[in-house]
Amino acid sequence: KISLLVLSHGKVANGMAEVANKILGETHAVGLEMDFSDSPEYMFEKTSNLVKQINQGKGCIILADMGSLLEMENKITERTGIEVKIVGNVYTLMVIECLRKVLYTSDSLLKIIDDLKNLKI
């Protein structure tokens, strides 16, 4: 399966991942929160390590809130050898929809990313 990681500044990502997992009865979505004292370099290291840990062989979608968390896509792919795509301005419904697509469709990583970018609420 495609891995799903939610990133945020402050204590937001774990909650969004938990809601999506609970609604769909799964534990697949993972949250990672950037402490306000963390540097972008430290968060890059944490994110790269977590992507390697949760990888299931089909790439990783990262849903992030803003800023430096949106700028790691190529660096993580280069570091890990895992295809990573990042979508910004994450919100809970986006996490739920992404998790649903990852778990219950055979859509490719790029198709899911395209659908998320066009998601209307």
Side-chain angles (χ1 to χ4, degrees):
K1 291 183 172 114
I2 297 167
S3 302
L4 175 55
L5 178 58
V6 183
L7 298 179
S8 70
H9 292 78
K11 305 214 177 285
V12 179
N14 287 333
M16 285 192 284
E18 181 181 0
V19 168
N21 283 330
K22 187 66 93 177
I23 286 173
L24 293 173
E26 296 288 341
T27 58
H28 191 75
V30 176
L32 180 60
E33 299 169 341
M34 182 175 184
D35 191 89
F36 295 112
S37 63
D38 291 344
S39 69
E41 295 79 20
Y42 178 72
M43 195 62 179
F44 165 71
E45 293 295 331
K46 284 177 65 172
T47 304
S48 296
N49 290 336
L50 188 53
V51 165
K52 286 190 279 187
Q53 182 181 336
I54 66 173
N55 179 45
Q56 294 185 19
K58 293 197 173 187
C60 183
I61 295 174
I62 296 177
L63 304 177
D65 60 357
M66 61 184 175
S68 62
L69 299 179
L70 302 175
E71 300 171 3
M72 299 188 282
E73 184 175 287
N74 293 334
K75 285 175 59 177
I76 293 172
T77 297
E78 289 172 14
R79 162 82 56 94
T80 64
I82 299 165
E83 183 178 15
V84 170
K85 295 295 178 192
I86 297 177
V87 177
N89 302 317
V90 65
Y91 51 94
T92 305
L93 184 58
M94 179 190 286
V95 179
I96 294 167
E97 180 62 8
C98 185
L99 182 59
R100 185 190 69 76
K101 286 180 171 292
V102 164
L103 294 174
Y104 304 123
T105 73
S106 59
D107 291 350
S108 70
L109 189 145
L110 294 177
K111 168 82 168 101
I112 294 171
I113 292 297
D114 189 51
D115 289 350
L116 291 175
K117 288 180 177 177
N118 295 310
L119 187 63
K120 305 284 187 240
I121 57 167

